[in-house]
Amino acid sequence: MERTFAHYEILGAIGAGGMGEVWKARDSRLGRLVALKLLPEDACDEDGTLERFRREAQSASRLNHPNICTIYDFLEDDGRFAIVMELLEGENLQDRLARGPLAVDDMLRIAVPVADAIAFAHSQGVLHRDIKPGNIFLSQSGIAKILDFGLAKLTEPNANTLSSIDATVVSPGPDASLTQMGGTVGTVSYMSPEQALGRDLDARSDVFSFGATLYEMATGQRAFDGPTMAAVTDALLHRDPVRASELRSEIPAGLENVIVKSMQKDREDRFEDMHALARALKEADWSEAPKKGAKTEKTSIAVLPFRHMSADADDEYFADGMAEEIINSLAKIGPLRVVSRTSSFAFKGRDEDIREIGSALDVNVVLEGSVRKSGNRVRITSQLINVEDGYHLWSERFDRTMDDIFAVQDEIAESIAKALEIVLTNEEREAIREIPTDSAEAYEYYLRGRFYLWKLNPESFLMADSMFRAALKEDPEFLLALASRVELYSWFYLWLPVEDKRSLQSKAEELARQSQEIAPDRAETRFAFALTHWMKQEHAKALQLFQEAAEIDPGYWEAHFYGARVAMEGGRLDVAAMMFEQAYRIRPDEYQAMCLRSTCLRGEPEEAKVVAEAKKILERHIRLHPDDNRALGFLVTCYAFEGDEEETRALGEELQRRSDVDAGFLYNVACAYIHLGWKEEAFEILFKIVKDGWGNPEWLDSDPDMDPLRDDPRFGGLIDEIKKNRERTG
């Protein structure tokens, strides 16, 4: 490199920008230090390159803003061209993020002035089109500056749209930009969808790119990434990134809402411009971020059973079904913790104060409502109530036909999100709006089936099956009804002493194949096949399919929970503990996942902590459901772990006296007795429940609670007896 360029003395190399080398130089006339960006000599004749270089100078020179790198001059010397700009000392944001995400306070300090600067550029008719961490510089004085307007487009100030120039992205990496003709401009990981598709752009394209940059500042990870440009582009166009708060719990809800709204696929759903985004950043409640190490609590909601107001008592199923479907819809919203049906339905028919309900269920807000059905007409009223003060956050009445029932459910779920100031991602909105069937009659039968299924007894299971059959007669491709039948048959097969188990297995496999033909890539289909493999004791394949279902739908509680049970039966206690934890995160009030996780952690350092948490959940649940024998069986094991012999003995004997206690629940009593060294009594219980038809040799083989019995010859006899029972029933 020559030591001078025009009247600038070259002092040393700094690096490379979007379209040239950058050198540190001294202005011999004014004596100031500058950055000199030179277009490579061999690039000056390439079609369009010089014009883009000139446009960078022209674009940035129009912008006099403290958070935009200042352009001093554009000049030529001996056939080479250069931009003279402000010399900055520090590092760019990309290099800073390589060391990890930013503290929330640092994000605020950087994001707000940069957003203001982009908004200012837009007001001057300049669209950047390449907002990314590599183009935001952090000076040593603490000021953030926007760099590299090489892809900027000049328009009239406040112009609505502009056309992209003809160039194409060649790499998905951090500096991927345009060098070839005939495509789009920008850096693919930060492009807006419309930019990636080569469509006309407006200010909302920079809004999207800035949102992707905010996401990376918050999480330390790119919102859209992959091994190839095609993979990144596919993610950009079709997938939402994991919510920032899922990767980093201290992210404030206000900041997350700004990020989510900025990165909506449809630009009509984003902030209307950068001014609106900057305003949202300034108005967001950043104080919600807890101190380091503290836990962020999600907004929590309980959906109470809707009151049944119809003249026909048989329509009770519809009121219950509406509440259950709204629970399922709300569970698809990441920032919302939704109390399970089991807990919220404990208040069915009970007239209690909202504050007491909120305290019992440990929630911030409660949704209550009523349903009046007459023929094909339905009236639904619903109110969202703040537990702390009883204030109605939202209420609405819907008078519709049954054909509109899904639209009502969608509107209720989206209205709740809006009232709680939660911005939905594209995937969350699509999941809520999904219509499971076009047949109102099929849906009614399906709701009746779920109503009977939840009664949890053999007689109601038969009624549930007949309802699901009727639903499928109306709509043979009703996936939820198919999956419910498979789930029902698996319950018969795994938990009840059924004579012809081979027939159940065959029916379940046929239903799973039907699901495969209808929707091979749906989580429900993988779940159905997983259940059939579990029936055949093919644990590895069942676990794989449960994991695939959970990956497709991370909020699918059943996939995590049953996958964990299969992993536990297969001796994969580490995998089981992880999947039980995921199930617990989805339904924190559902006690089984945490209780079984504690079993997987026997002897581990965190066992005591998990047992204490399980006991806390159990005691809250039992206050609502004092006759839940399964929960009482788990509570016995907690007492035993704590060494409380008196409580263990009292509750264990009480459960053995009850005539309505399922044999499987008494298994937990045996586990508690083993923990306290009461082996004789434990064997007595185990042989009794095996005689009554209970038996799962795979579970016994892998359950750590059974370890103290394994060297006793009676344990082998117990396994043999279970296997004989299995052979008799097929």
Side-chain angles (χ1 to χ4, degrees), residues 161-220:
T161 62
L162 60 159
S163 298
S164 61
I165 63 174
D166 291 332
T168 190
V169 175
V170 295
S171 166
D175 293 317
S177 58
L178 62 167
T179 58
Q180 298 179 16
M181 303 303 294
T184 56
V185 300
T187 304
V188 67
S189 292
Y190 307 93
M191 280 185 181
S192 66
E194 62 269 23
Q195 190 175 5
L197 293 170
R199 295 174 179 167
D200 287 348
L201 307 180
D202 61 22
R204 292 169 294 182
S205 181
D206 278 354
V207 166
F208 186 97
S209 300
F210 184 68
T213 300
L214 277 177
Y215 183 93
E216 193 166 338
M217 292 166 69
T219 66

